[in-house]
Amino acid sequence: MHHPVYVFRHGETVWNAEKRAQGVLDSPLTEAGREQARAMGRALARELRAAGHAPADVIVRSSPLGRVRETLALAAEEAGLTHHEESFDDRLREMSWGDWDGLTGPEIEARWPGAMAARRLDRWTYEPPGGENYIMAVARAQAALDDIAALAMERPVAVFAHGAIGRVLRGLFLRAAEAEILDMDQPQDAFYRLHRETMARIAAHDTAQGAV
């Protein structure tokens, strides 16, 4: 990729605060989440200025889910990004927990005793009832990443997505092992720059960066 790709997770949501699985269901951003989105937009603006990229030149690709749309709207206003309906890509939606979407850990345990423990033993291949495992997510994430990489040959790209699918995108870019992908963080107050086979974490409230 000649130009960088910036990968964002949405800001904190009501269900994040309640420790509920969201998957393909939704909840709105909290006030803290809205400020995280604004701060990430301001940090992206600084990043673009330092790299000599005009915000108008940045291509946006985003999950269509509501919490990401809300994050994108706030961050884009701060960074000066433009986007439209063609910016939304269903392949960037979050991994689905299926029947577990919207539930807390204790609620899942009460309805499916032992299921959470079984998932912890094999997080990569375990498939929640009616949901996805990482193998399924990798297939659509790789297709989305291939298209994003093609766009980044011409212009910078900002990708707004989720915790798990964002982790998969970053892992695929780095050609990381499955265990490494599962251990990657899912920040809501930072984003990542992917460029020339390296990854750098960019904190929303701090310009310090670290390359991987």
Side-chain angles (χ1 to χ4, degrees), residues 99-100 103-117:
D99 295 342
W100 296 358
L103 302 180
T104 64
E107 288 169 344
I108 294 169
E109 180 61 26
R111 300 185 197 186
W112 292 270
M116 292 292 283

Side-chain angles (χ1 to χ4, degrees), residues 131-151:
E132 291 180 284
N133 61 21
Y134 276 89
I135 296 171
M136 298 173 184
V138 162
R140 60 182 168 88
Q142 183 66 70
L145 183 62
D146 289 344
D147 289 346
I148 290 165
L151 293 173

Side-chain angles (χ1 to χ4, degrees), residues 5 9 12 19 21 24 32 43 58 61 63 75 91 121-122 128 130 136 145 155 168 185 191 206-207 211:
V5 172
R9 183 188 178 192
E12 181 193 64
K19 301 189 183 306
V24 295
V58 177
R61 288 294 179 265
S63 162
R91 297 173 298 182
L121 289 174
D122 188 2
M136 298 173 184
L145 183 62
R155 294 158 59 186
V168 171
D185 67 351
F191 59 96
D206 185 349
T207 57

